[in-house]
Amino acid sequence: MKKFLLIAGGLMCLFINVQAQKKNLDKVVAVVGSNIILLSDLNQQYAIYLNQGNPPDDRVKCYYLQSMLTQKLLKQQAEIDSIMVDDAQVDSELDKRMRYQIQRMGGQEKLENFLHKSILQYKDEMRPDIKEGLIAQKMQSKITEHGAVTPQEVRQYFNTYQKDSLPDIGTEVEVGEIVLSPKLTKVEKQKYYDRLDAIRLRIKSGEDFAFLAKSYSEDPGSAAEGGDYGFIDRTTMVKEFTAWAFKLKAGEMSPVFETEFGYHIVQVLERRGEQAHVRHILIKPQTTPASLERVRLKADSIYKDLEDKKLTFSQAASLYSDNRETQYNGGMMLYADEVTSRTTFIPVEKLDPSVFVVIDTMKVGEVSKPIAYKSEQDGKEGYKIFLLKSKIPPHKGNLEQDYTKFKERAQQEKDAKIVKEWFEKRKETTYIRIDDEFATCDELKLWVKNDKK
C-alpha cells in the first residue's frame, strides 16, 4: 500500500503541475484521488459565505475544505458507479441559487459588483461545482438508501438521553391557511396581453429578443440574461410553458400564452433529445382595486360558511385556497426547516411574523376573520383565513409528543454512521493530500493521516 501511494503521489505531483499551469499557477490546496481542489475554488465558497451576511472568519475555510474533500471522494465513487445528473437538474439548481444570491445582495448589479464579474460569468464558473455537488448528494443517498430507522431504533436513540439532558421543546403550533388571490377578468388582463403581443411583433420584425427581454421581461430570474433559461426538460416548468417549449422547433417562437405567473412568449434556441434550450419574456398582470374587492367579498363569504359550519376548514382549503402546497393538506402549513419529515408542528419563533400576530391571540380550534396581505417578495396581494388547529406548550422532549423529531435525529445519526464507515474504508485506499497551510485544521486531521502513509 505504501509503495502504491508513493507511486500515486508521484503521478499526482505531475498531474497537479499540469493543472496548475492551466489555471495560471492557481494553488492546489488538496488532492483526492485524481481530483484536485484549487485555492480559487475554496475562496469562491468563502465569498458566498460572506455574501450571505456572515462575518469574516478564516476558520470557516477549514470547514469548506472538509466539505469539498468529502464531495470529491463521493464524486469519485459516483463515477465508478455511473451515477450522473442531467443538465436540466443542474440548470434548475443553478438558477435557484442565483435568484437567492441576487435577493440576498439586493439586486443583480450589487451582486456583480461584489463578485467583480457578470452573472453569466459567475454561472459558467459555478456550473461544474453545482453539478459535482448534485452528483455527490445522489451518491450519498445511494450509500444510505437501505438505512431507514425502525421504531425500535428510534426508541433506543431516545433512551441514550439522560433524563436531565432531554431537549427543551418550545411552544409549537399547527396552523392552517386558506389563501385567496384576486382573479382578473379577461377585460382587465387584455392590456397586458396586448403589451406582450406588441413585443412579439417587434421580434418578428427583426428586433433582438435578448435586448427586449432585458428591457421588458418581469421574470427576475431570467430577464438580466436576455430571458435565457438554459436547457429544460418536461418536468422543469409549468405545463403550459412545457407544452410550447416542446412543440416548437429550434428557432421558432410561440404566440402569447398564459400561465399562473402571467403572459409569456417563448423561443426555442436548441433541441437536444428530451431537453430544450429556451428563452422567454414574461409580463405579469397587476392586481386592480376591483379584483381586490371581489376577492374580499369571496373571503367574507367563505368565513361565514366556516362560522355556520357549512364547511370544514379542510373542505374550504381544498375548494378555494390558491396555495397549492397546502390546498390538499387540509390547508395545514408545513415546517419549512424540516422538509424531510413534512411535519405540521411549527415552533412559534419560526412562524412568519405576519402569521404569528394573527394566531397569537387565537384559541385552539378558532378560525380568523379574513386578513389582507401583501407579499414582500413579489408584491402579490389578497386575503388569508387562518386556523389555529393545535398548540403545544413548552415541554421536555418525549416520544409521545415528539416522536417525529427524535426519529429525524435518529435517522441523521444512523446516516452519519453509515457514511462515516464508508468514508473510513474509501480513505484507506484513496490518495489524499492536503496543503500544509490547512493541515492543522481540526476538521481535517482525520484526512491528513492518509497523507502520512
Side-chain angles (χ1 to χ4, degrees), residues 1 5 423-430 432 450 453:
M1 178 61 73
L5 291 176
F423 272 107
E424 290 300 324
K425 291 178 182 177
R426 291 304 182 276
K427 285 193 296 182
E428 291 304 316
T429 57
T430 304
I432 297 172
N450 262 357
K453 291 186 180 181

Side-chain angles (χ1 to χ4, degrees), residues 192-319:
Y192 301 101
Y193 175 98
D194 292 342
R195 183 188 303 171
L196 185 54
D197 198 42
I199 294 171
R200 185 183 68 86
L201 292 174
R202 288 171 64 180
I203 295 169
K204 287 181 73 69
S205 297
E207 292 193 49
D208 183 58
F209 189 110
F211 175 77
L212 293 174
K214 289 179 181 179
S215 302
Y216 298 108
S217 182
E218 295 172 355
D219 177 7
S222 69
E225 297 177 36
D228 198 332
Y229 256 133
F231 280 93
I232 66 169
D233 63 20
R234 294 181 185 273
T235 65
T236 307
M237 314 298 286
V238 292
K239 62 181 181 180
E240 300 90 349
F241 193 105
T242 299
W244 278 109
F246 287 90
K247 180 179 181 180
L248 300 169
K249 297 176 182 177
E252 291 183 336
M253 181 173 60
S254 74
V256 176
F257 63 93
E258 187 178 10
T259 73
E260 62 189 88
F261 300 103
Y263 286 113
H264 308 252
I265 52 174
V266 61
Q267 184 180 51
V268 174
L269 300 176
E270 182 184 353
R271 293 293 298 272
R272 187 190 294 166
E274 284 301 295
Q275 293 185 325
H277 182 185
V278 300
R279 57 184 177 182
H280 86 136
I281 296 175
L282 169 68
I283 296 295
K284 299 178 181 179
Q286 300 300 307
T287 300
T288 64
S291 65
L292 272 175
E293 177 61 16
R294 289 195 298 269
V295 79
R296 184 189 69 79
L297 294 173
K298 180 180 179 181
D300 286 342
S301 175
I302 294 169
Y303 175 71
K304 189 174 186 305
D305 284 346
L306 289 169
E307 276 214 310
D308 294 342
K309 310 296 183 186
K310 292 181 180 178
L311 285 173
T312 66
F313 194 88
S314 178
Q315 289 170 335
S318 64
L319 287 171

